[in-house]
Amino acid sequence: MIICLLQIPLDIKEVREITVFDAVKQLELDNFCDLMFGAVKDIGSQEGLKEALQAEITEKALQQINEAALREGYQPLLYSS
């Protein structure tokens, strides 16, 4: 499992939705390739992959990702709207 940390500014009043694509495009190349290879095998179609990458990440999921990444010592992914 690949765990990532997303830094989200807390003082922004209007933040656009964060998608899975926003997160994965910041991964290191090896991690990106592992993730995409597994996703393509699991999803099985180009349209399915596109839908998965366009899925929004909820605020609760972001908190869980941040907490897990911090526990594992991963560097943050940067995100700005």
Side-chain angles (χ1 to χ4, degrees), residues 14-68:
E14 186 176 330
V15 177
R16 89 174 165 84
E17 291 83 18
I18 300 168
T19 65
V20 173
F21 181 66
D22 292 325
V24 299
K25 66 185 177 183
Q26 296 183 55
L27 294 174
E28 292 179 9
L29 182 58
D30 288 341
N31 292 339
F32 177 83
C33 291
D34 289 343
L35 180 70
M36 288 294 96
F37 186 73
V40 169
K41 285 177 27 179
D42 291 345
I43 295 169
S45 73
Q46 182 176 352
E47 188 60 33
L49 180 60
K50 181 179 176 182
E51 288 176 18
L53 290 172
Q54 290 175 328
E56 293 176 16
I57 301 174
T58 65
E59 186 175 339
K60 182 177 180 177
L62 283 173
Q63 290 174 336
Q64 292 171 335
I65 291 167
N66 287 338
E67 291 168 2

